[in-house]
Amino acid sequence: MAASLVILILIWGTVCTAQLVTFENPDICALKGSSVYFRCFYNCSEDETVTDVAWYKGGQKDAQWIHFKLADVPLLHNRSEYLGDMRHDCSLAIHDVQQNDSGHYYFHFDTDAFGRRSKTSVYLSVTEMEASVRPSPTVRPGWAVWLECQTSCPNPVTWFKDGEPVTSTEFQAQIEDAGNYICAIEGEESVQSDPVTLDVQYPPLNVHVEVSYTGSLTWGNSVSLSCSSAANPAAENYTWYRGDDSPSSMVPVGSGQVFSITSLEPSHLGWYLCKSQNLLGENSSMQMLNVDSSAHLLVLGVGVKVLLILLLSVAII
């Protein structure tokens, strides 16, 4: 009788073991407020039928480690969603994860013969990631900058600038480094921080003067000179000067981004200088204003032709 009992126990322990539950990723980090997915697979012998499946969270009660069924945990049962089936897939989703959702999660399943639970667990870490730029999010070209990501997840983090990977978290700021930076959990890039903006400020650069007019640049026509520049913060003041090609000869003639001449006269010709200025400095550019000599010849030619026609008309009469 005793020998038969031992044989029965050995057979009982060899069917549908808990080792047949596997987790794709047993260590998951999620951002607070996001949804997290546990990919899980299980199996048992072909002669058994699965009758019930459930996920549990491990916790202490009366100094003992026990498993609490998610359906019975008030803070979890409305946010947990079983995505699997009754044979092989035991995947789970938890939505709007919170800090107190962190912990060990186990999968249990019952068959018409036995009940089993996973021997291992999925460990969920919930974090609030915070990206920051040191020493300040507002810098100037050449200043040292380093990126910091605060998170409780043990996983390494990676960085992106405007959606593109960042190769180094410490660098000398350049104008092109301005943009929005986020840190993310490496391998789980959906776990991201809120963006932090690096603002690289600089005085006006690439000052450009453009001359515009309608038709030909001739006496009496209106002419506009517009000034543009790259600057951060944007240029606040534009000042116009006129003179010869020596900056020392320049005298102020106006202000504003556009300088307008309503009726062009010979006294308007010459060099124009635009000075662009913001809080960090100033820069300037010069442009020569001259008449279109070919247009004047064209006007003169038209006048001579009309005069000849009139003379011929008088001779015929």
Side-chain angles (χ1 to χ4, degrees), residues 17-316:
T17 65
Q19 292 177 342
L20 296 179
V21 179
T22 57
F23 304 118
E24 184 177 273
N25 187 357
D27 190 3
I28 297 177
C29 191
L31 185 65
K32 179 182 176 182
S34 66
S35 293
V36 64
Y37 300 89
F38 302 165
R39 294 289 293 162
C40 170
F41 306 95
Y42 72 107
N43 207 345
C44 60
S45 62
E46 294 296 331
D47 58 350
E48 292 182 60
T49 300
V50 176
T51 59
D52 189 35
V53 294
W55 276 85
Y56 289 72
K57 183 182 180 185
Q60 293 283 348
K61 184 178 182 181
D62 299 329
Q64 289 187 332
W65 184 261
I66 63 175
H67 294 181
F68 298 92
K69 193 173 185 179
L70 298 192
D72 298 331
V73 179
L75 296 178
L76 275 170
H77 78 274
N78 287 331
R79 294 185 290 111
S80 59
E81 178 185 6
Y82 185 68
L83 303 176
D85 53 35
M86 299 294 287
R87 191 60 191 175
H88 299 295
D89 190 346
C90 49
S91 299
L92 175 75
I94 300 178
H95 304 289
D96 189 26
V97 294
Q98 302 299 312
Q99 292 285 2
N100 54 12
D101 294 336
S102 298
H104 293 273
Y105 289 80
Y106 302 83
F107 177 67
H108 294 207
F109 67 94
D110 296 329
T111 71
D112 52 0
F114 308 107
R116 290 290 181 265
R117 72 182 187 184
S118 58
K119 290 185 177 180
T120 59
S121 66
V122 175
Y123 185 76
L124 172 64
S125 301
V126 180
T127 184
E128 292 187 73
M129 301 182 70
E130 183 179 354
S132 60
V133 177
R134 305 294 182 186
S136 169
T138 301
V139 297
R140 298 186 187 180
W143 287 14
V145 170
W146 60 91
L147 307 174
E148 289 187 352
C149 186
Q150 296 180 353
T151 172
S152 61
C153 284
N155 312 55
V157 300
T158 186
W159 284 86
F160 296 89
K161 172 186 171 286
D162 298 329
E164 298 296 325
V166 174
T167 57
S168 177
T169 58
E170 297 185 19
F171 51 90
Q172 301 292 320
Q174 302 299 324
I175 293 174
E176 58 270 20
D177 293 324
N180 294 318
Y181 290 79
I182 62 167
C183 57
I185 298 298
E186 188 173 306
E188 299 180 40
E189 279 71 18
S190 61
V191 184
Q192 299 179 346
S193 67
D194 290 332
V196 59
T197 300
L198 177 63
D199 185 22
V200 182
Q201 297 189 341
Y202 53 93
L205 301 174
N206 304 323
V207 181
H208 176 68
V209 177
E210 183 177 350
V211 179
S212 60
Y213 50 87
T214 301
S216 300
L217 186 56
T218 58
W219 308 129
N221 281 6
S222 62
V223 181
S224 294
L225 289 83
S226 58
C227 187
S228 61
S229 63
N232 183 29
E236 297 178 341
N237 298 311
Y238 289 90
T239 307
W240 292 92
Y241 300 82
R242 185 174 69 235
D244 57 30
D245 57 357
S246 172
S248 62
S249 70
M250 295 288 179
V251 294
V253 292
S255 62
Q257 197 165 357
V258 178
F259 178 71
S260 297
I261 301 172
T262 57
S263 180
L264 184 63
E265 298 178 1
S267 61
H268 293 135
L269 302 183
W271 286 95
Y272 284 80
L273 181 144
C274 171
K275 182 183 292 184
S276 175
Q277 185 178 32
N278 68 2
L279 295 174
L280 303 180
E282 62 184 36
N283 207 338
S284 61
S285 178
M286 296 176 64
Q287 174 67 46
M288 179 67 173
L289 180 62
N290 205 347
V291 296
D292 188 345
S293 58
S294 62
H296 284 286
L297 291 175
L298 177 62
V299 173
L300 178 59
V302 171
V304 171
K305 184 177 181 181
V306 172
L307 177 59
L308 288 174
I309 293 173
L310 289 175
L311 289 175
L312 287 174
S313 298
V314 171
I316 294 172

